[in-house]
């Protein structure tokens, strides 16, 4: 079992999260209600929807981690899983994401305009139809 599978199994046990289908096409997605929170992209990359406000709040701590990729243009961050401790970091960030989306008014609406890092990549910006017509933030099982 690779690190992403371990992380997915660990987070899937959380009562606040349920499995869904990611709008970006990620193979695994975890949601809080209708809000997409976690996308698993491959064996070692995971996107977490922290929201812009939470990223701004945590930015000093986020900058210190080499396992994180933070984009100024997105409320999503990417966690690179290279060691077991990165799963602990991911779990902490998912807790923060649950807090952020639970306290943010209109979180589902913001997710529609804030696609994950895979949908925010330069390649997807060249082909916006790949994601622009999909309803972001609607977790589907």
């Amino acid at each position: 079992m690779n690190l992403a599978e371990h992380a997915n199994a660990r987070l899937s046990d959380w009562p606040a999260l349920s499995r869904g289908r990611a709008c970006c096409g990620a193979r695994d997605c975890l949601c809080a209600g209708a809000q997409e929170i976690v996308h698993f992209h491959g064996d070692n990359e995971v996107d977490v929807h922290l929201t812009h406000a939470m990223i701004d709040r945590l930015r000093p701590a986020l900058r210190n981690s080499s396992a994180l990729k933070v984009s100024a243009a997105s409320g999503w961050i990417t966690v690179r899983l290279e060691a077991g401790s990165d799963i602990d970091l991911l779990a902490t960030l998912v807790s923060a994401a649950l807090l952020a989306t639970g306290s943010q008014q209109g979180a589902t609406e913001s997710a529609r305009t804030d696609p994950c890092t895979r949908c925010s990549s330069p390649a997807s910006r060249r082909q916006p139809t790949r994601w622009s017509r999909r309803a972001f933030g609607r977790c589907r099982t």
Side-chain angles (χ1 to χ4, degrees):
M1 192 180 269
N2 64 46
L3 289 172
E5 291 168 335
H6 278 290
N8 192 352
R10 179 173 167 185
L11 294 171
S12 293
D13 288 339
W14 290 20
L17 296 174
S18 61
R19 291 190 185 277
R21 268 190 10 218
C23 292
C24 67
R27 68 178 183 196
D28 291 304
C29 173
L30 296 173
C31 305
Q35 175 70 44
E36 295 179 18
I37 299 289
V38 183
H39 294 173
F40 291 87
H41 294 289
D43 293 342
N44 63 357
E45 285 194 356
V46 181
D47 283 348
V48 180
H49 189 239
L50 280 176
T51 73
H52 291 280
M54 185 61 80
I55 289 173
D56 288 344
R57 187 173 167 191
L58 298 175
R59 191 171 303 279
L62 297 175
R63 280 190 199 135
N64 294 329
S65 176
S66 61
L68 300 177
K69 182 169 42 172
V70 180
S71 169
S74 177
W76 291 81
I77 65 165
T78 301
V79 181
R80 185 154 179 86
L81 303 175
E82 294 181 347
S85 60
D86 295 332
I87 295 174
D88 295 333
L89 173 62
L90 173 63
T92 300
L93 293 172
V94 171
S95 292
L98 289 169
L99 178 65
T101 57
S103 64
Q104 180 182 351
Q105 300 250 341
T108 300
E109 188 60 36
S110 74
R112 289 183 187 141
T113 60
D114 189 18
C116 83
T117 61
R118 295 297 169 115
C119 292
S120 301
S121 69
S124 66
R125 280 195 294 272
R126 285 192 296 270
Q127 300 173 334
T129 56
R130 183 172 160 215
W131 54 267
S132 63
R133 294 186 183 161
R134 294 183 180 165
F136 285 96
R138 292 207 176 109
C139 233
R140 299 175 302 269
T141 53

